[in-house]
């Protein structure tokens, strides 16, 4: 009961909620299978496979009184293709993590990064396009996005970073970090 009204849960309401969850899960699962099929194709064996450990978000200008989760733990995988013209490499990625509101969030996508190689470290900068699900955005239905992507590290491990701008009135901009470990 809320404000004198009784909340009645009908079978239609339960079916609609279940259908929305199945839809989001099915899209993510389909993308995961597509990603894995690319990885096991003959061409994909030339690049590098990485384990992603999601872990940290730093929210920028968080309104006072708003307590956002900055421990965004989760796991994923990233496949980096071979360098093209010794400068650019394509990548594909799929991952899940606990978002800023402590809800599960999933994405799959890919892009390209420009590599600046030093003696032992590299710096990559580029763009990632993705399909994602979030409970607090679009009712957990998949949506498309694109963000800047950065990476700093060496051959065995590096740190991936992305900047997420304020995209709707209630969103807070943030910087998101992942540890990328070569398998």
């Amino acid at each position: 009961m809320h404000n004198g009204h009784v909340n009645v849960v009908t079978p239609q309401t339960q079916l609609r909620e279940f259908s929305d969850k199945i839809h989001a899960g099915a899209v993510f699962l389909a993308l995961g299978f597509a990603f894995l099929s690319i990885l096991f194709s003959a061409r994909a064996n030339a690049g590098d496979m990485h384990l992603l450990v999601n872990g940290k978000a730093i929210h920028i200008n968080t309104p006072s009184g708003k307590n956002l989760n900055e421990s965004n733990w989760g796991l994923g995988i990233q496949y980096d293709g071979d360098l093209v013209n010794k400068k650019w490499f394509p990548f594909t990625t799929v991952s899940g993590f606990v978002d800023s509101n402590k809800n599960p969030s999933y994405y799959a996508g890919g892009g390209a990064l420009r590599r600046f190689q030093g003696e032992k470290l590299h710096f990559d900068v580029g763009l990632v396009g993705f399909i994602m699900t979030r409970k607090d955005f679009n009712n957990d239905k998949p949506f498309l996005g694109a963000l800047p992507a950065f990476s700093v590290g060496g051959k065995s491990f590096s740190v991936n970073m992305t900047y997420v701008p304020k995209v709707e009135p209630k969103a807070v901009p943030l910087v998101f970090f992942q540890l990328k470990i070569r398998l």
Side-chain angles (χ1 to χ4, degrees):
M1 184 176 262
H2 181 68
N3 292 338
H5 294 87
V6 176
N7 291 331
V8 178
V9 178
T10 65
Q12 291 84 5
T13 304
Q14 288 177 327
L15 183 60
R16 189 176 323 115
E17 289 173 2
F18 180 72
S19 173
D20 288 346
K21 288 179 184 176
I22 293 295
H23 179 70
V27 168
F28 185 72
L29 191 59
L31 286 170
F33 282 127
F35 180 76
L36 290 174
S37 68
I38 291 168
L39 294 178
F40 291 108
S41 71
R43 187 169 182 261
N45 292 330
D48 292 319
M49 180 66 72
H50 303 271
L51 172 69
L52 298 176
V53 180
N54 300 305
K56 185 70 176 166
I58 298 174
H59 295 86
I60 302 166
N61 300 324
T62 304
S64 63
K66 191 162 188 148
N67 186 17
L68 297 171
N69 176 38
E70 291 194 335
S71 296
N72 302 124
W73 296 111
L75 293 173
I77 52 175
Q78 179 173 322
Y79 170 77
D80 294 345
D82 286 338
L83 283 172
V84 176
N85 295 328
K86 297 183 181 180
K87 295 178 184 177
W88 291 89
F89 67 91
F91 70 96
T92 54
T93 181
V94 62
S95 189
F97 61 96
V98 177
D99 71 14
S100 299
N101 296 312
K102 298 183 180 175
N103 296 313
S105 188
Y106 306 97
Y107 71 87
L113 294 169
R114 166 65 162 95
R115 173 147 295 169
F116 298 91
Q117 183 69 51
E119 275 190 48
K120 298 201 182 230
L121 294 176
H122 64 261
F123 175 73
D124 304 327
V125 59
L127 186 70
V128 59
F130 55 89
I131 186 166
M132 183 176 213
T133 62
R134 289 187 59 116
K135 181 179 180 181
D136 63 341
F137 184 79
N138 202 25
N139 261 347
D140 215 19
K141 292 179 184 166
F143 63 92
L144 298 175
L147 292 170
F150 310 93
S151 186
V152 176
K155 188 168 178 81
S156 298
F157 71 92
S158 49
V159 176
N160 288 348
M161 300 160 279
T162 192
Y163 171 73
V164 181
K166 183 176 180 176
V167 292
E168 59 178 301
K170 67 179 183 176
V172 175
L174 62 94
V175 180
F176 182 74
F177 295 90
Q178 297 173 315
L179 179 61
K180 183 172 99 170
I181 304 165
R182 186 174 182 211
L183 299 175

